[in-house]
Amino acid sequence: MDSAVIWYAGQATGIVSLTLFSAVMVLGISVRRQVRIPGMPRLAAVALHRSISLLAVVFLAAHILTAVVDSYVNISPLAAVVPFTSAYDPLWVGLGAVALDLIVAVTVTSLLRARLGRRTWRAVHWLAYACWPVAVVHGVTMGSGTGHPMSGWPLWLTIGGIAAVLIALVPRVTTGRRALTPADVLAGVRR
């Protein structure tokens, strides 16, 4: 396979996985606060959260695979899993490895939720709040994979994801009230 194709696939799968994980965060916050998504029962929202989570993990796996096989950079399979061991940009690749390790913990415990119990699952699931910003920093700093930070439409897409997560998260953290839905935000803008 052509090296340019692998490089573009790595960039694309990284952007898609970060976008999907942003959507997962918004859905997870909304489901937890029992926010109604218009036209969707709560159980459907939970199923959507799980489905998008698994899809994001698939894109993340493709992103990691392409980063490891890409000849443009030298990222070993070990460096993809063990933080800060990469010969190429050890700090920023290391943050990606930290995010991967955290998402693996969240994913595995979610798949084993019935066997672990709610308390254990929930304690580990809180790692998502650490994983997502680490992944965002990794994505923004690794950017185009050419040593330059993210720019252009991928940066704006990432900023949109950050804004969506903050809009959902701020009320939960500051007041304990339900998270805002997109409809709440639009209603506020129209007033």
Side-chain angles (χ1 to χ4, degrees):
M1 188 178 275
D2 187 334
S3 181
V5 171
I6 293 170
W7 183 84
Y8 281 113
Q11 296 302 301
T13 54
I15 292 166
V16 171
S17 63
L18 185 56
T19 303
L20 289 172
F21 278 121
S22 296
V24 166
M25 288 293 292
V26 170
L27 282 169
I29 293 165
S30 299
V31 166
R32 173 68 183 115
R33 298 304 299 166
Q34 298 182 354
V35 172
R36 294 263 330 189
I37 297 173
M40 185 179 291
R42 185 174 187 281
L43 288 177
V46 170
L48 183 62
H49 172 71
R50 288 182 188 151
S51 297
I52 294 176
S53 297
L54 291 175
L55 183 61
V57 169
V58 168
F59 273 94
L60 179 60
H63 174 64
I64 294 164
L65 178 64
T66 56
V68 169
V69 301
D70 188 1
S71 62
Y72 179 76
V73 295
N74 183 22
I75 300 173
S76 69
L78 182 67
V81 179
V82 179
F84 313 111
T85 59
S86 175
Y88 177 80
D89 240 342
L91 177 60
W92 306 128
V93 172
L95 287 178
V98 167
L100 170 65
D101 295 344
L102 293 173
I103 201 63
V104 166
V106 170
T107 303
V108 168
T109 56
S110 292
L111 294 172
L112 299 173
R113 181 178 178 178
R115 294 184 180 186
L116 293 176
R118 182 168 170 78
R119 259 191 154 155
T120 303
W121 168 80
R122 194 167 190 199
V124 176
H125 210 72
W126 275 89
L127 291 175
Y129 288 104
C131 173
W132 181 77
V134 171
V136 168
V137 171
H138 164 77
V140 169
T141 56
M142 289 300 292
S144 63
T146 60
H148 302 289
M150 183 185 285
S151 61
W153 67 265
L155 178 61
W156 287 107
L157 187 62
T158 302
I159 290 169
I162 293 168
V165 170
L166 290 177
I167 288 168
L169 186 62
V170 168
R172 178 176 181 188
V173 172
T174 59
T175 64
R177 293 184 305 195
R178 70 177 180 84
L180 294 174
T181 65
D184 293 332
V185 174
L186 290 176
V189 170
R190 290 186 196 137
R191 289 184 188 160

